[in-house]
Amino acid sequence: MRPVTSRLPVFPWDRLEPYKTAAAAHPGGIVDLSVGTPVDPVPEVVRAALADAADSPGYPLAWGTPALREAIAGWFGRRLGAAIGPDAVLPAIGTKELVGWLPTLLGLEPGDQVAYPRLAYPTYEIGALTARAEPVTYADPVTDLDPARVKLLWLNTPSNPTGRTMDAAELRRAVAWARAHGVLVASDECYLELGWETEPVSVLHPSVSEGSYEGLLAVHSLSKRSNLAGYRAGFAGGDAAVVRELVAVRKHTGMMVPKPVQQAMIAALGDGRHVAEQRERYARRRAALREALTGAGFRIEHSEASLYLWATRDEPCWDTVAELAKLGIAVAPGEFYGAAGERFVRVAFTATDERVAAAVERLAGLRAP
């Protein structure tokens, strides 16, 4: 029996460790802008809900409590303009889990293709390989894909790593092609609430879906907008038939969000104040880092949304990573997200205000190439 890891690539972040070690040796300490993990406090309203549900001795429901599904459906309606019912949503143990296992949960087989953008979150590929399906990338338009083999089409708006968003017209074209060929569309929208120079649109919005959610699944996360990465709190919604199939498999395999986390999710989805406060923090950090990077000779492309700046000095990405590591700054090489990113780095603005200020000061002394 061959191990599953034999068909997977090397975990990309392991390759970054020597550069992070070098950055950590800086006298002022490391400024880690690589992974993009939240650093700000979990909102008090969420922590209180988690604590109140701490006495939860029974097994949680794989489909989530009725109250949680109502909260998710309500958020889809208020925030995305999608009138879906609680029977068409499900919680996930963090969005990465759902992305990584979706091809397997859907029953994809060898010969089936999973399509995703040529610059993309690596887990789309991993999900395909884990299911023994074939990963295939696309550049616009998606209509260049082989409709006979693609079974799952990933969209990602706003994009990780580039921060690029797809407008309603682009989304409609992708959805129309997928529906014409019986391809399921999964739209990773985890950064949708973090639009800076644009207002991101969901694949479930009426301007895209035309009021029908058939063949559509929107994937969302509370990790970024609510600082809940440590809680593993994600969710999805869309085609009710697809959701029922996913829930049925997840019941058998024990994919259950812990009951206290489900209660915390309800609190997070029902409170908009902490989301606005967190947006303000990220907006300040983004503005400071963008100005510092451009002043140091970087060009920023896209980056109109999400938690990242997609930056280049028109040199190999590992050269940029090494140069910034000398300043004690860790960033992610664009190569992690596909060959098209080999001359870019992804710069997260999720560090604390103090660390961002340190990065800005250090970048001021960097000479343009």
Side-chain angles (χ1 to χ4, degrees):
M1 181 176 65
R2 295 181 62 198
V4 175
T5 52
S6 67
R7 57 180 185 269
L8 303 182
V10 174
F11 187 60
W13 295 98
D14 290 345
R15 297 170 57 200
L16 193 60
E17 284 305 311
Y19 299 92
K20 294 182 75 170
T21 299
H26 189 278
I30 188 173
V31 179
D32 193 347
L33 308 178
S34 61
V35 177
T37 188
V39 297
D40 298 303
V42 173
E44 180 57 40
V45 66
V46 176
R47 284 185 279 171
L50 184 82
D52 288 345
D55 186 15
S56 297
Y59 289 113
L61 298 173
W63 203 349
T65 64
L68 175 57
R69 287 188 282 122
E70 289 279 1
I72 294 172
W75 182 86
F76 271 120
R78 293 190 309 275
R79 187 64 184 83
L80 308 186
I84 61 178
D87 62 331
V89 303
L90 77 156
I93 312 164
T95 305
K96 184 172 184 176
E97 170 261 303
L98 185 59
V99 172
W101 286 106
L102 187 59
T104 298
L105 296 173
L106 292 171
L108 269 61
E109 300 175 345
D112 293 338
Q113 289 184 339
V114 176
Y116 53 91
R118 65 174 184 160
L119 278 170
Y121 184 46
T123 310
Y124 305 134
E125 177 190 15
I126 298 303
L129 294 173
T130 301
R132 297 182 184 274
E134 179 185 348
V136 58
T137 64
Y138 65 86
D140 294 332
V142 301
T143 52
D144 291 339
L145 293 167
D146 181 357
R149 297 189 61 198
V150 175
K151 305 301 179 185
L152 174 62
L153 172 64
W154 278 107
L155 306 178
N156 181 206
T157 180
S159 164
N160 175 13
T162 69
R164 179 185 179 275
T165 60
M166 298 176 69
D167 62 26
E170 289 179 280
L171 289 168
R172 277 197 305 273
R173 287 193 293 270
V175 168
W177 178 86
R179 283 176 168 169
H181 299 290
V183 176
L184 177 66
V185 174
S187 183
D188 181 349
E189 303 173 354
C190 289
Y191 298 93
L192 185 134
E193 294 209 81
L194 296 165
W196 310 110
E197 299 164 10
T198 187
E199 183 64 31
V201 180
S202 171
V203 75
L204 300 184
H205 190 273
S207 65
V208 177
S209 67
E210 298 181 339
S212 170
Y213 309 120
E214 181 180 358
L216 304 179
L217 192 70
V219 178
H220 286 267
S221 170
L222 297 176
S223 294
K224 313 300 185 184
R225 49 91 82 182
S226 298
N227 298 329
L228 296 192
Y231 283 45
R232 309 314 303 134
F235 57 96
D239 189 320
V242 172
V243 168
R244 284 194 297 270
E245 175 64 16
L246 294 175
V247 170
V249 179
R250 293 170 72 84
K251 285 179 180 178
H252 282 293
T253 54
M255 291 182 172
M256 301 174 288
V257 176
K259 178 67 178 301
V261 174
Q262 293 192 34
Q263 290 300 114
M265 291 174 69
I266 294 172
L269 288 165
D271 178 67
R273 184 173 63 179
H274 78 270
V275 180
E277 292 173 351
Q278 191 59 45
R279 276 183 55 87
E280 290 178 4
R281 294 188 188 107
Y282 285 143
R284 291 196 307 271
R285 296 164 185 168
R286 176 181 183 271
L289 283 170
R290 186 179 187 116
E291 182 178 356
L293 286 166
T294 55
F298 285 87
R299 185 177 74 255
I300 308 297
E301 291 194 0
H302 305 302
S303 306
E304 64 262 27
S306 83
L307 286 178
Y308 313 106
L309 294 168
W310 187 236
T312 180
R313 296 206 303 173
D314 295 309
E315 65 186 5
C317 61
W318 287 104
D319 290 354
T320 308
V321 169
E323 185 73 12
L324 291 176
K326 294 176 184 176
L327 300 177
I329 300 171
V331 297
E335 183 186 272
F336 279 6
Y337 307 95
E342 62 186 6
R343 298 181 74 83
F344 286 80
V345 292
R346 193 195 73 172
V347 183
F349 42 89
T350 53
T352 64
D353 291 344
E354 183 273 331
R355 289 288 82 188
V356 167
V360 168
E361 182 179 354
R362 296 174 194 181
L363 285 167
L366 184 65
R367 291 184 178 180

